[in-house]
Amino acid sequence: MIAGLSLGELSQRLLDDAQAHRDFIADTRKIEVDVADGAPVVRFATADAGVAAAPTQHALRQIGAHVDIPAKYLDRMAAHAPALLAANVNHWFQANPAPRMLRTKMNGHATLRAFLSNRYRPLDNHDLAEAVIPLLLKPGWEIKSAQVTDTRLYVQAVSSRLAASIQHAQRTGVRDDVVQPGIVISNSEVGAGALSVEPMIFRLVCLNGMIAGTSIRRNHVGRSSGGGGDDAYEFYSDETRKLDDAALWAKVRDTVNAAVTDAIFKRLVEKLNRATGDGLGDDPVTIVEVTAERFGLDEREQGSMLRHLATGGDFSRFGLLNAVTRTAEDAKSYDRAIELERVGGEILDLSRSAFTYLN
């Protein structure tokens, strides 16, 4: 499992972010993309003052998607012809007006974090952490890794209340191959994904995590927030939204409490035990290549996967999925590490016929 922030670092980061974040609703006719110091900047006026916010790459791509500019061409204009980018976007902002939510960060300078529909429902990382972290600090839980990336929050926690030993069908060099259940909680404040709570299996011998399905998934969609006035106005949660959010956080807490049960854990362990009996055949190198192609691993990840498969010496479906989850530790980003942990679960979930085809 990839390393992340300590609990203290996570808490401070979320607190700092919550204090610096401000949301606005504005009509695109009142928003202008300009160029400052050779880079795009997004300008809009509020009732109090003008705002000039430097967009993140994620926010800039959301602007591009809104006006139907392909991401590759958008990136090229941003790097080499920002004035052309501004002219393109501003034309379509005026030609096709629409209210949008602008999520900003104000910490000495303004950053545009996200450019979203005015129906976007903010479910913020700080509120999520307040709902679930106290549960994960109780006896029986341990937070193994957490991180805040440019687009997502992740918390990976393991329960010590349950444990099982994998019964290997093939001879390996591993004794007492113990696994424990856990969860991965993730959320995006900037429109990069839903709030989700996913079951996880944690393997003690190598400290790898494998994500195995989704317990709850909540998309950030709510009712319209207007946006037809002359100035951008700051968005605040009204009482109805606050009540809705309170009910959602209660559901998330219930899901965390119920995510680790004997039945769920037993079912996953049984699948893992069966996976140890699914051999990889006589050509593991080709199987790794086919697996990498099917699940979108790049050349570096494919090499890492093959190396970990050979080092582990377990040439079964179980060994293959663990080679992928071990590769997650070498990932170039935390976001990518989580994706690879999910790939491990997808390999476990392949039907027998699909795995035979892969093999």
Side-chain angles (χ1 to χ4, degrees):
M1 184 179 291
I2 192 169
L5 301 175
S6 69
L7 185 59
E9 291 170 334
L10 176 67
S11 299
Q12 190 61 53
R13 170 68 184 274
L14 294 178
L15 179 61
D16 290 345
D17 285 350
Q19 292 174 343
H21 290 172
R22 292 177 66 185
D23 298 335
F24 300 90
I25 304 294
D27 189 291
T28 55
R29 290 170 294 188
K30 305 301 179 182
I31 304 170
E32 179 186 15
V33 177
D34 198 357
V35 179
D37 299 324
V41 63
V42 177
R43 301 184 188 276
F44 57 95
T46 70
D48 301 322
V51 176
T56 63
Q57 184 187 45
H58 176 74
L60 191 60
R61 286 190 171 186
Q62 288 176 322
I63 291 173
H66 178 70
V67 297
D68 293 326
I69 298 176
K72 187 174 181 179
Y73 183 48
L74 183 87
D75 292 344
R76 183 180 178 188
M77 287 193 292
H80 303 293
L84 178 61
L85 169 63
N88 271 271
V89 172
N90 290 332
H91 171 82
W92 294 114
F93 274 1
Q94 297 298 318
N96 299 315
R100 304 297 289 174
M101 175 180 284
L102 296 91
R103 309 210 77 187
T104 70
K105 183 175 183 177
M106 308 286 194
N107 57 346
H109 63 277
T111 301
L112 179 64
R113 303 190 299 137
F115 183 82
L116 301 159
S117 164
N118 67 323
R119 294 185 65 241
Y120 185 82
R121 179 186 179 187
L123 298 172
D124 290 334
N125 294 336
H126 183 265
D127 296 331
L128 173 59
E130 285 192 334
V132 301
I133 294 297
L135 296 178
L136 302 179
L137 295 178
K138 292 182 178 180
W141 283 103
E142 181 181 358
I143 296 175
K144 292 290 186 180
S145 183
Q147 187 58 273
V148 182
T149 71
D150 289 341
T151 54
R152 288 178 174 87
L153 163 70
Y154 300 100
V155 178
Q156 303 191 71
V158 173
S159 171
S160 60
R161 292 176 290 174
L162 296 171
S165 293
I166 299 301
Q167 306 301 312
H168 286 271
Q170 303 180 31
R171 181 176 296 178
T172 68
V174 178
R175 294 182 178 180
D176 298 324
D177 196 350
V178 178
V179 295
Q180 291 178 323
I183 55 172
V184 178
I185 303 168
S186 60
N187 183 52
S188 175
E189 298 180 324
V190 293
L195 163 63
S196 66
V197 180
E198 301 167 286
M200 176 183 69
I201 289 289
F202 185 71
R203 191 181 181 203
L204 272 63
V205 70
C206 56
L207 306 182
N208 291 346
M210 181 198 73
I211 298 173
T214 303
S215 293
I216 182 177
R217 186 176 180 86
R218 182 64 171 85
N219 292 317
H220 296 247
V221 178
R223 54 192 174 87
S224 173
S225 300
D230 289 337
D231 293 325
Y233 65 89
E234 192 158 3
F235 174 86
Y236 299 98
S237 291
D238 60 22
E239 288 305 315
T240 300
R241 286 191 178 92
K242 289 177 181 178
L243 290 172
D244 288 346
D245 288 350
L248 174 64
W249 299 132
K251 184 176 181 180
V252 171
R253 285 191 291 269
D254 290 342
T255 302
V256 170
N257 283 324
V260 178
T261 65
D262 288 327
I264 293 174
F265 183 53
K266 182 179 180 181
R267 185 169 63 249
L268 288 173
V269 170
E270 287 174 350
K271 291 176 71 172
L272 289 169
N273 283 333
R274 288 195 298 270
T276 67
D278 293 337
L280 295 186
D282 298 327
D283 190 2
V285 174
T286 299
I287 293 169
V288 167
E289 291 176 354
V290 173
T291 303
E293 181 178 357
R294 172 165 182 154
F295 293 102
L297 277 67
D298 63 25
E299 186 175 348
R300 184 188 66 82
E301 292 166 341
Q302 178 181 319
S304 178
M305 179 183 170
L306 180 60
R307 183 172 65 255
H308 294 310
L309 179 65
T311 301
D314 182 355
F315 297 98
S316 68
R317 187 200 301 226
F318 182 83
L320 184 69
L321 69 87
N322 275 283
V324 173
T325 57
R326 173 59 185 84
T327 297
E329 292 187 42
D330 309 323
K332 56 190 176 183
S333 70
Y334 204 99
D335 290 313
R336 183 56 178 161
I338 294 293
E339 291 172 357
L340 291 171
E341 290 183 15
R342 291 194 180 106
V343 169
E346 291 171 14
I347 293 173
L348 180 66
D349 284 338
L350 285 174
S351 66
R352 181 59 60 88
S353 60
F355 182 74
T356 299
Y357 178 79
L358 188 74
N359 210 357

